Amino acid sequence: MTEYPTAFWAETFSKMIGWAANLIVIYLMVLRFETISNWSAYEVLLLYSMNATAYSLSGFFMYNAFGGLSQHIQMGTFDEMLTKPVNPFLYLCFKGFGTGYIGNLISTLTALVICFMKLNISLSFLSVIYFLIIIFGSTLIHSGLFMFTNIPVFWFVKNDALLSFRWALDEFIRYPVSIYDRWIQILLTLFIPMAFINFFPIQFFLKKQDFIGFNPIIVHLTPVIGLVLFFSGYLFFFWGIKHYKSTGS
Amino acid sequence: MLFLKGFKQRLIYRANTVIQLLSSFIYFFISINVWSALYRGKNEVSNISLLDMLTYILMVQIVKSLVKLPISQYVANRVTAGNIAIDFIRPTNIKYCAFFDSIGSAVFTVLLFSIPMFIIGSIFWGIILPIDFKQWLLFILSLSFAIILYATMDYIFGLTSFWTKTNYYIGWINSALMVLFSGSVIPLWFYPKTIRAIASILPFHYFIFEPINIFLGKVTNKEAIIIILSQSIWIVFLLLIERIVWHYAKKVITVQGG
């Protein structure tokens, strides 16, 4: 960051603009049609910015650590991590800590605040704490996704297909999950629980009841799902290391 | 020749192509769900029906892959890697290398994507192609002009890397402007008046929105000709700017690496 100030600011600023453009356009889309599946333009913007905030927060630690895993293994530089006398998981996360997501975070947090104000969501001290817990849970879900899409490189070296699949899934939860066919709703709730990142938990704050046939308790499950995904990702990582055979060099 | 090379390269990386195709299908599928949900309980919005809209998003995929060639990326990659030194002594212009190298792979994507998509589209959603010959001719003309116009603009974007020595920002800024003003996510019909006015001053709507507007027959022949004329004026204007930028870029070039 300090070595290349121009590059840092160019990156931060351009990412900020890029994400802001996506946020604005989704708002404009719903605005013209008033609602999508009974969600207003600001409510959809809130869905998107919540997902994007959780993704950015998780990206600070996870992007370099796991996004770069495939390359580390191909180049044979992963072996170095195993020689350090610390937990390789923590070593990876902290070594990879990057400032690349500051721009994204500025845009998404701005959008979050605007949505909360425009939707007149009254926040008491307790509900702010609760919202932070939810965001933490969503961040853990995104971190789990980073892990589960990248750790298979211990077995297969390449993971392009999994990554594109993940980006495609991310596109699904920009919109209320209730607009999709039943099988996609079930997929996003029970099998790849991405609906818990934004769609279910935000309904508690919006006082909505768009539970697509599930028990209303579902709005509170995000932190639990986050913890389960994160720790199973953690175990998956160590299982992966056990199977890891260096590519040499 | 370069065109065929780009085409063949795509055949070799078969796994990548399949993945790209699958994700295009998923994005298309999501768009269909989103627009159908938006149109629920409505017949027409701004004189546009759901069927028009489905044809529109299918055409966006095709037009976008032909127009959005990675020209700036090609140029900036060569600048940051230092290969640009070789390009200065080559007999061909780097602009044409970048263009023909990427158009081959774009045509490949379109052939592989558009034909199956139109078949699926017409079976499931009743998407129909225009039958008027004049409409096709005007569409192809404005699409070709859109390709040239975008390539010129993106080349100028790429040349800025001579000064900044990094290419990271170009893609982000470029795609932000495209998302907002080209009609690649929502057609300009649905924009509020002020934003539509801003968009129509900028060149971006000539890349995707206007060619499809012609394809769908939402403009008269006369309006279509005006669109094509405006595109050519923009091309001349940007070519002039490109000349000026290139003149100064040559002077600031520092070759990295060795």
Side-chain angles (χ1 to χ4, degrees):
Chain A
M1 171 180 166
T2 42
E3 280 169 65
Y4 298 100
T6 327
F8 169 75
W9 287 111
E11 182 182 334
T12 303
F13 182 68
S14 55
K15 275 191 173 176
M16 215 173 93
I17 304 228
W19 279 47
N22 279 311
L23 289 159
I24 291 169
V25 98
I26 209 165
Y27 167 76
L28 289 177
M29 177 194 247
V30 184
L31 184 71
R32 180 69 187 83
F33 289 78
E34 287 155 19
T35 60
I36 178 165
S37 174
N38 288 324
W39 287 65
S40 73
Y42 277 116
E43 287 171 345
V44 174
L45 185 60
L46 185 56
L47 275 182
Y48 188 11
S49 48
M50 196 172 163
N51 177 33
T53 303
Y55 171 76
S56 310
L57 287 173
S58 133
F60 275 104
F61 288 95
M62 293 284 152
Y63 183 77
N64 288 330
F66 289 97
L69 202 57
S70 166
Q71 212 185 354
H72 271 309
I73 288 176
Q74 280 174 55
M75 308 279 285
T77 46
F78 182 75
D79 303 32
E80 180 206 323
M81 321 258 169
L82 298 176
T83 61
K84 307 280 180 202
V86 282
N87 181 334
F89 181 84
L90 293 178
Y91 181 73
L92 210 61
C93 290
F94 284 102
K95 187 169 181 267
F97 179 82
T99 49
Y101 281 92
I102 287 184
N104 313 28
L105 203 59
I106 294 171
S107 290
T108 60
L109 283 178
T110 312
L112 260 185
V113 172
I114 292 174
C115 288
F116 270 101
M117 283 177 357
K118 291 280 178 186
L119 291 165
N120 289 321
I121 301 173
S122 53
L123 286 174
S124 62
F125 177 72
L126 273 180
S127 57
V128 170
I129 301 283
Y130 184 64
F131 185 73
L132 292 178
I133 293 173
I134 294 287
I135 284 283
F136 182 67
S138 306
T139 307
L140 289 181
I141 298 180
H142 263 300
S143 307
L145 290 169
F146 264 115
M147 291 189 255
F148 277 103
T149 48
N150 285 300
I151 291 169
V153 295
F154 284 121
W155 287 269
F156 305 110
V157 184
K158 281 215 154 244
N159 63 331
D160 301 342
L162 268 174
L163 290 181
S164 343
F165 185 58
R166 182 198 169 174
W167 299 130
L169 285 176
D170 205 66
E171 186 88 9
F172 275 107
I173 58 164
R174 288 184 179 189
Y175 309 94
V177 174
S178 46
I179 68 169
Y180 302 111
D181 294 332
R182 189 74 192 136
W183 66 274
I184 295 176
Q185 295 174 350
I186 290 171
L187 177 82
L188 293 174
T189 309
L190 299 179
F191 294 95
I192 307 165
M194 291 183 76
F196 289 96
I197 293 172
N198 54 0
F199 178 70
F200 289 127
I202 202 62
Q203 294 194 38
F204 173 75
F205 295 91
L206 294 172
K207 301 192 171 61
K208 284 181 112 51
Q209 301 202 317
D210 197 359
F211 303 136
I212 50 174
F214 291 97
N215 190 300
I217 189 78
I218 210 153
V219 298
H220 300 294
L221 291 182
T222 298
V224 181
I225 307 256
L227 285 171
V228 169
L229 257 183
F230 188 86
F231 282 106
S232 48
Y234 182 82
L235 296 177
F236 188 33
F237 175 72
F238 283 99
W239 187 35
I241 288 184
K242 234 187 241 172
H243 277 256
Y244 167 66
K245 291 187 182 64
S246 172
T247 52
S249 82
Chain B
M1 279 310 287
L2 257 174
F3 170 84
L4 281 175
K5 211 186 103 206
F7 198 99
K8 276 183 194 154
Q9 260 176 4
R10 289 296 299 277
L11 274 174
I12 295 164
Y13 296 110
R14 215 170 299 159
N16 255 331
T17 311
V18 172
I19 293 163
Q20 198 195 341
L21 219 71
L22 270 176
S23 30
S24 299
F25 279 110
I26 296 180
Y27 289 126
F28 185 59
F29 176 76
I30 294 172
S31 309
I32 289 172
N33 277 290
V34 169
W35 287 103
S36 307
L38 285 168
Y39 265 99
R40 205 158 290 154
K42 298 185 179 76
N43 279 328
E44 281 197 343
V45 175
S46 307
N47 285 326
I48 304 298
S49 68
L50 178 60
L51 182 61
D52 285 334
M53 207 43 233
L54 295 183
T55 318
Y56 185 92
I57 52 176
L58 181 54
M59 287 307 290
V60 166
Q61 297 272 6
I62 294 166
V63 171
K64 202 163 86 177
S65 39
L66 282 174
V67 170
K68 260 194 105 181
L69 302 175
I71 311 274
S72 59
Q73 211 180 314
Y74 184 95
V75 176
N77 279 345
R78 295 190 75 84
V79 172
T80 48
N83 302 337
I84 193 82
I86 306 162
D87 295 314
F88 271 99
I89 52 171
R90 272 188 182 153
T92 49
N93 193 323
I94 179 177
K95 188 168 79 172
Y96 300 114
C97 291
F99 182 75
F100 287 107
D101 189 64
S102 40
I103 190 113
S105 95
V107 170
F108 179 87
T109 313
V110 167
L111 287 180
L112 217 67
F113 178 80
S114 60
I115 295 169
M117 269 335 282
F118 263 109
I119 295 169
I120 295 172
S122 54
I123 294 171
F124 288 99
W125 299 286
I127 288 174
I128 34 168
L129 297 170
I131 34 168
D132 185 17
F133 173 72
K134 247 191 259 162
Q135 209 170 319
W136 272 101
L137 191 75
L138 288 170
F139 166 67
I140 289 168
L141 252 172
S142 84
L143 177 62
S144 324
F145 277 49
I147 293 170
I148 300 169
L149 181 56
Y150 181 86
T152 316
M153 185 197 72
D154 204 33
Y155 181 59
I156 298 173
F157 274 140
L159 288 180
T160 60
S161 63
F162 280 60
W163 284 273
T164 58
K165 310 278 184 298
T166 158
N167 54 0
Y168 195 82
Y169 65 98
I170 299 173
W172 281 94
I173 304 251
N174 187 0
S175 72
L177 291 167
M178 289 293 279
V179 161
L180 277 177
F181 300 118
S182 77
S184 64
V185 183
I186 14 172
L188 270 48
W189 300 307
F190 300 141
Y191 272 2
K193 269 199 188 113
T194 38
I195 301 179
R196 174 110 199 235
I198 298 169
S200 56
I201 302 168
L202 299 167
F204 300 94
H205 64 120
Y206 291 118
F207 301 143
I208 292 172
F209 175 70
E210 299 295 357
I212 304 179
N213 212 354
I214 294 174
F215 183 85
L216 288 173
K218 296 289 169 193
V219 292
T220 60
N221 285 346
K222 207 172 153 193
E223 285 169 322
I225 289 165
I226 293 173
I227 289 170
I228 293 166
L229 279 176
S230 321
Q231 284 178 316
S232 48
I233 293 168
W234 267 106
I235 291 174
V236 173
F237 177 65
L238 286 183
L239 280 174
L240 273 174
I241 292 186
E242 181 210 302
R243 272 287 178 82
I244 298 165
V245 174
W246 176 244
H247 176 78
Y248 289 104
K250 270 194 302 197
K251 292 180 182 167
V252 296
I253 183 74
T254 36
V255 173
Q256 313 194 36

